[in-house]
Amino acid sequence: MKRILIRSGKSPFRVATPTEFIQQDLIGTNTGNLLFSDSAHKMLSAPDTEVTSNGIRTDPSARRAAEINEQYDVFVVPLANAFRPSFHASLDRLSTLIEQLTIPVVVFGVGAQAPDDYDTGGLGPMAASVKRFASAVLERSASIGVRGELTAGYLNSLGFKDVDIIGCPSMFLYGATFPEIRTAELTAASRVAVNLSPDAIPVGDIAGIARHAWEHYPHLTYYAQNTDDAELLLWGDTTPESGVTDPFPRHLTHPLLRENKVRMPLDPATWIKELRDYDFAYGTRIHGNVAALLAGTPSVVLTHDSRTLELCRYFDIPHRSLAELPADTDPRDLYENADFSAMLKNHGERFERIVAFLDRNDLKNTYTHGDGGAAFETRMAALDLPASMPVWDGTDDGQLRYRFSRLREQLTTVSEKTREQARKQAKQAKELRAELAAAEQRAEETAKRLDAVQAELQAARKTLAAVERKVNGIDKRLLVRLGPALRRRTRKLSGGGDKG
């Protein structure tokens, strides 16, 4: 039995509640992470193979490294845009763990993040960390699997040649077979799913594009993906009372939230199932659009950086540059100009490429070595996975106990922190009072010494004055006594000599 440890937020077979997803961050801040890790999990579920989720957070301790070395035969690490400044510290922790492992380490689909012009200059400060990571991986595997040509070129520029372009595992959820893309006329009555990224705001008017679609397609749904979105849907906010607004849908005052047209997918299986009921999907989220394509729903990516553009180019996913789109972009125009033929035609070749990568790294896959994922899908079908989260309307949705408990924990934590801060401040105040008292004592002693010195100085001045008076008196008496004699002597010298 080959034991594989895979880096993922959770196992595909774990049924978690929405509150567990949030509390434990099972999506690693973005549901898209589960889509590619679940696909990798399924792909690796070959005969005589056991795949175990390691969790999304890295424990780089020697203890954890020893456990992994003892309990597993290979560590598989599916990644997305890991070569980015905000992931710098996480990448270093991952390198620290890998450097302690004696088992093979295989990386799936890692990518470099840059603007859509592919300028990697912004990655300069983390070049040493990327080199460290790539070196550690290649010491334990035959090659590194990357998302596309940008990342391959970036690693080549750093001196690494054992790089395989394999795209993202998410596109191979069904192996060599890709679902047929449905076609239908897009009208105002059509169901449209839109996905949006806050970090795309500086690139183009994504909020305006979403607003235009909401105004013209009544059956529009916004599929959010971040943990912040899940928190908003679960807790709500006070913007309806405060009146705070934002053109991007991140407050309850936004029309999409007011009308309960926002959903937060938790499990990829239910995400894909829900998207089968839509006629078209589009937006800036690469995995939001991949989920739609896996559902057979036509989808167009609005690219805004290298991480989205790189995958679209590799997989021939229809895409448009967000920067070039006006706010009144009609989803129907995107749909009618989308061509899915290359994506479908070349899928088999791309699948063979990722299989070759797995073979090169001594990993079997269920599609060529097993049942094609049938047992995996049967097991998934038997699970009661949660539907995507809607906007909470304030009624009892089964999560009230969590909300009250969480609030109590937060209040307790704040109270404990406040008390601890008060204790620290009291201790600091006591130490300051002691220091002040000591300073006052030193000042008092210094004042006393100064008084003594001043007294000594005054006495010295008196003594000096007395001495000066004595000296002056002596001088005067001496002049009185010597004056007549000196005058006689002077007269004698000046005239008395001629007469003699």
Side-chain angles (χ1 to χ4, degrees):
M1 177 70 72
K2 191 163 191 173
R3 301 162 300 172
I4 297 177
L5 182 67
I6 186 170
R7 181 183 183 270
S8 63
K10 76 174 187 68
S11 164
F13 307 120
R14 177 185 171 183
V15 179
T17 64
T19 48
E20 287 176 326
F21 272 96
I22 293 173
Q23 186 72 17
Q24 300 174 36
D25 190 22
L26 298 180
I27 63 174
T29 74
N30 187 329
T31 310
N33 292 326
L34 287 185
L35 186 58
F36 64 75
S37 64
D38 278 15
S39 183
H41 193 121
K42 178 183 178 182
M43 186 180 296
L44 296 170
S45 297
D48 299 322
T49 302
E50 180 182 72
V51 184
T52 302
S53 174
N54 181 57
I56 203 72
R57 303 194 181 283
T58 301
D59 177 0
S61 67
R63 176 194 57 78
R64 180 54 181 160
E67 289 176 352
I68 294 174
N69 286 327
E70 179 181 355
Q71 298 174 15
Y72 301 97
D73 300 305
V74 58
F75 183 33
V76 172
V77 187
L79 291 170
N81 52 326
F83 301 154
R84 68 184 193 273
S86 61
F87 197 74
H88 195 161
S90 298
L91 189 69
D92 284 341
R93 285 194 296 273
L94 198 52
S95 297
T96 300
L97 174 64
I98 293 172
E99 287 166 347
Q100 300 175 78
L101 299 182
T102 56
I103 61 174
V105 177
V106 182
V107 171
F108 273 52
V110 67
Q113 178 153 343
D116 59 7
D117 61 0
Y118 282 19
D119 181 5
T120 58
L123 300 180
M126 65 180 304
S129 290
V130 174
K131 288 181 180 179
R132 177 190 176 194
F133 173 79
S135 297
V137 171
L138 288 174
E139 287 176 3
R140 294 160 179 82
S141 62
S143 64
I144 293 179
V146 301
R147 293 163 76 95
E149 77 278 8
L150 165 69
T151 307
Y154 173 64
L155 287 178
N156 290 163
S157 72
L158 296 179
F160 301 99
K161 304 304 178 183
D162 293 319
V163 179
D164 290 328
I165 299 176
I166 61 172
C168 177
S170 60
M171 286 290 283
F172 303 107
L173 182 63
Y174 304 122
T177 303
F178 201 89
E180 286 297 323
I181 304 300
R182 298 185 303 276
T183 58
E185 182 182 359
L186 209 63
T187 68
S190 299
R191 298 194 68 192
V192 176
V194 64
N195 50 81
L196 312 169
S197 311
D199 54 8
I201 294 174
V203 178
D205 191 2
I206 186 62
I209 291 174
R211 183 180 63 253
H212 181 82
W214 165 75
E215 292 171 347
H216 293 83
Y217 292 85
H219 303 293
L220 177 81
T221 302
Y222 165 39
Y223 270 83
Q225 290 181 213
N226 283 359
T227 302
D228 289 344
D229 301 309
E231 293 274 8
L232 176 62
L233 297 181
L234 180 77
W235 292 97
D237 63 21
T238 60
T239 57
E241 291 77 24
S242 67
V244 172
T245 61
D246 191 316
F248 195 87
R250 49 188 160 201
H251 295 311
L252 291 186
T253 46
H254 194 280
L256 288 171
L257 285 134
R258 285 203 317 263
E259 298 176 11
N260 197 15
K261 292 184 176 180
V262 180
R263 294 293 181 270
M264 172 70 190
L266 300 173
D267 279 286
T270 53
W271 190 6
I272 294 170
K273 180 180 178 181
E274 290 175 15
L275 288 172
R276 290 194 181 104
D277 294 330
Y278 286 82
D279 301 299
F280 181 62
Y282 73 112
T284 54
R285 297 279 191 181
I286 184 64
H287 289 107
N289 291 290
V290 168
L293 294 171
L294 292 170
T297 301
S299 180
V300 173
V301 180
L302 308 184
T303 59
H304 64 284
D305 60 8
S306 67
R307 61 177 173 168
T308 50
L309 183 58
E310 187 175 31
L311 283 181
C312 287
R313 286 175 171 171
Y314 180 71
F315 285 110
D316 294 312
I317 298 173
H319 59 281
R320 297 282 296 277
S321 172
L322 174 63
E324 299 174 359
L325 296 176
D328 61 353
T329 296
D330 194 317
R332 181 168 55 188
D333 294 334
L334 298 175
Y335 170 70
E336 291 177 349
N337 288 286
D339 182 2
F340 301 93
S341 58
M343 182 189 77
L344 297 172
K345 177 184 176 182
N346 300 323
H347 183 75
E349 178 184 341
R350 286 184 285 260
F351 177 72
E352 291 302 322
R353 200 170 295 144
I354 196 171
V355 166
F357 167 77
L358 295 175
D359 290 343
R360 186 178 180 186
N361 286 282
D362 194 28
L363 288 174
K364 293 182 178 180
N365 72 86
T366 185
Y367 302 107
T368 55
H369 304 102
D371 62 2
F376 181 95
E377 292 296 344
T378 298
R379 187 175 174 185
M380 289 295 296
L383 302 176
D384 186 18
L385 298 171
S388 294
M389 294 175 61
V391 180
W392 181 41
D393 62 2
T395 61
D396 186 357
D397 58 351
Q399 310 298 336
L400 289 180
R401 184 205 62 79
Y402 169 80
R403 291 185 180 93
F404 286 128
S405 299
R406 184 63 179 148
L407 285 172
R408 181 178 181 276
E409 287 178 354
Q410 290 177 333
L411 288 172
T412 301
T413 300
V414 170
S415 179
E416 289 176 350
K417 287 183 178 179
T418 301
R419 285 197 294 270
E420 179 62 24
Q421 187 176 15
R423 284 194 292 269
K424 288 181 178 179
Q425 291 176 343
K427 181 180 179 181
Q428 291 174 350
K430 182 178 179 180
E431 292 173 349
L432 287 172
R433 284 195 295 270
E435 291 177 4
L436 179 60
E440 290 175 343
Q441 179 65 30
R442 290 193 298 271
E444 184 178 349
E445 293 173 353
T446 301
K448 289 180 178 179
R449 287 196 296 270
L450 181 59
D451 290 343
V453 170
Q454 289 177 338
E456 292 175 1
L457 180 59
Q458 186 65 25
R461 286 174 178 166
K462 290 180 178 180
T463 302
L464 177 60
V467 170
E468 289 177 342
R469 286 195 298 273
K470 289 180 179 179
V471 170
N472 290 335
I474 293 172
D475 290 344
K476 289 179 180 180
R477 287 195 296 273
L478 184 60
L479 289 173
V480 169
R481 293 179 180 178
L482 295 179
L486 290 173
R487 285 193 295 272
R488 287 194 297 270
R489 182 63 177 170
T490 300
R491 286 194 299 268
K492 182 178 181 180
L493 291 174
S494 59
D498 293 337
K499 293 177 180 181

